[in-house]
Amino acid sequence: MIDSGRFSPTRDEVEAASEDHFSEEDLPSLAVTETPLANAFRQSTLFDLGQIDVRWDEELATLWAFMTPLERPNSNLGLIRDTMAWQRESRRVFGGTDGNGRDGALKFMVLGSRFPGVFNLGGDLEMFAECIQRRDRATLLKYGVACCEIVDRIWHCNDMNIINIGLAQGDALGGGLEALMCFDVIIAERQARFGLPEVLFGLFPGMGAYSILSRRVGPVLARQMIADGRIYTADEMYEMGIVTQVVDTGEGEAATAQWIRDHAAHHAGYVGINRAGRRVNPMTLEELTDIVEMWTDTALSLSDRDLRMMRRLAAAQTRLRG
């Protein structure tokens, strides 16, 4: 298995990678083989993202990625940038778009988190509060649209012949749950909790929750889950058909690898089934961005009391670092 081996958390732009970004010392085994895939690895930032640890497992034809947030375990701007780079570079390296014939080497993509007890807690609430106070609609909307683009790419499997797997070894709340629900398969450890608490501070989850849930569980239950702001257990999410498999604490990675082994022989069939589902009940980026416009306007109408609640929740996220 090939992993990142190092991080560069101070890098401002993952776009600024040059073709000699990796030296032969970084990936000595690949320097010898000089296969198209090895060459693509060396020319890519895929294994050098500041807040995502990416690993290639050739035996399972799987690209494993684990979020490694630097501060709060939420969708900060750096993590959003790295997530977009992970999606873009995965497609470039494995999609064979340059004619090197790599298409088909990758069959599964997994996203999890290395932050103890947390998958992702959603939006950057402190940033939201600051933008709302200074009436900065443009920044809020830009953030929301970026999240929608990530959701759209996960939902459409990055426009590749792959199966997307979300691995929740901890809590997925708000935008974290919105992203997680886009995956074809969701494997959750039993202690993980799930919910959309935005209504507690007068907002609603505007980056895919209604669209995704209405397709997964129907519009009535979708509205109920969003309006109640309730927290659900992994077993409850399984009973609703949102989570695919619940496993004991600490067994998430092993269970994911076993799921891949059990389903690899019928990979093409499962890809086809997932595509058929998206065709029957399509979800477009236009739909997502229309809703995030509504979310932005709602955010700007929040009261001072709502902002105080938002900041208290942000402070609780910060304390998780300890």
Side-chain angles (χ1 to χ4, degrees):
M1 181 182 290
I2 299 168
D3 62 28
S4 61
R6 60 191 173 90
F7 296 109
S8 49
T10 60
R11 187 179 63 252
D12 292 328
E13 283 293 338
V14 298
E15 304 280 357
S18 64
E19 291 193 353
D20 60 350
H21 190 80
F22 286 109
S23 67
E24 292 186 1
E25 289 76 18
D26 290 321
L27 295 170
S29 61
L30 296 182
V32 174
T33 60
E34 286 299 336
T35 63
L37 188 56
N39 186 53
F41 282 163
R42 289 204 318 277
Q43 296 182 21
S44 174
T45 59
L46 184 59
F47 299 104
D48 191 32
L49 299 174
Q51 296 190 57
I52 302 182
D53 177 10
V54 182
R55 303 181 178 188
W56 166 236
D57 188 335
E58 184 176 6
E59 179 186 358
L60 295 180
T62 298
L63 198 66
W64 299 79
F66 292 89
M67 292 176 282
T68 58
L70 299 177
E71 296 184 354
R72 303 183 187 102
N74 62 15
S75 296
N76 59 72
L77 290 173
L79 181 58
I80 289 175
R81 186 171 59 241
D82 282 350
T83 302
M84 288 180 153
W86 164 63
Q87 293 175 320
R88 181 186 63 251
E89 287 297 288
S90 297
R91 177 163 167 72
R92 189 179 71 81
V93 169
F94 291 97
T97 55
D98 58 5
N100 281 329
R102 297 187 301 272
D103 198 16
L106 176 64
K107 297 186 183 301
F108 302 91
M109 286 181 69
V110 180
L111 180 65
S113 171
R114 292 298 188 207
F115 197 98
V118 176
F119 175 79
N120 186 276
L121 299 182
D124 189 338
L125 300 182
E126 186 60 40
M127 189 208 78
F128 292 174
E130 291 176 3
C131 287
I132 292 166
Q133 280 202 320
R134 65 174 185 262
R135 316 305 296 170
D136 187 353
R137 186 180 191 276
T139 299
L140 276 176
L141 182 59
K142 183 177 180 180
Y143 177 98
V145 169
C147 290
C148 289
E149 290 175 354
I150 290 171
V151 163
D152 179 69
R153 288 174 189 152
I154 297 174
W155 180 263
H156 291 101
C157 290
N158 216 20
D159 294 323
M160 300 171 71
N161 293 323
I162 62 168
I163 295 174
N164 265 330
I165 303 175
L167 171 57
Q169 296 169 286
D171 297 350
L173 303 176
L177 180 55
E178 287 177 299
L180 182 66
M181 289 189 299
C182 293
F183 286 82
D184 301 317
V185 174
I186 301 173
I187 295 174
E189 293 190 1
R190 186 159 277 109
Q191 82 283 1
R193 300 177 304 163
F194 307 85
L196 300 163
E198 286 86 346
V199 71
L200 297 178
F201 46 84
L203 204 49
F204 71 96
M207 297 157 205
Y210 209 119
S211 297
I212 300 160
L213 277 172
S214 65
R215 287 162 171 81
R216 284 190 173 272
V217 300
V220 174
L221 185 53
R223 180 184 175 87
Q224 178 182 326
M225 290 179 69
I226 293 170
D228 288 350
R230 194 190 135 195
I231 302 300
Y232 296 85
T233 67
D235 288 316
E236 287 175 315
M237 296 290 277
Y238 173 79
E239 290 298 324
M240 287 187 285
I242 298 172
V243 164
T244 308
Q245 182 179 354
V246 179
V247 301
D248 290 334
T249 301
E251 296 183 0
E253 287 187 51
T256 301
Q258 189 58 53
W259 191 96
I260 291 170
R261 293 187 189 96
D262 291 343
H263 295 80
H266 304 292
H267 172 268
Y270 289 112
V271 168
I273 292 169
N274 295 334
R275 281 184 169 176
R278 289 191 291 270
R279 177 63 182 86
V280 168
N281 204 349
M283 183 174 74
T284 66
L285 181 58
E286 181 182 12
E287 175 184 326
L288 295 172
T289 54
D290 282 349
I291 293 173
V292 90
E293 289 258 10
M294 303 174 200
W295 173 87
T296 303
D297 292 335
T298 303
L300 290 171
S301 71
L302 295 183
S303 66
D304 290 341
R305 178 178 178 277
D306 292 328
L307 291 181
R308 287 195 296 271
M309 172 63 76
M310 187 182 290
R311 286 202 156 101
R312 280 199 292 272
L313 291 174
Q317 293 179 3
T318 301
R319 287 194 295 271
L320 291 173
R321 286 182 293 176

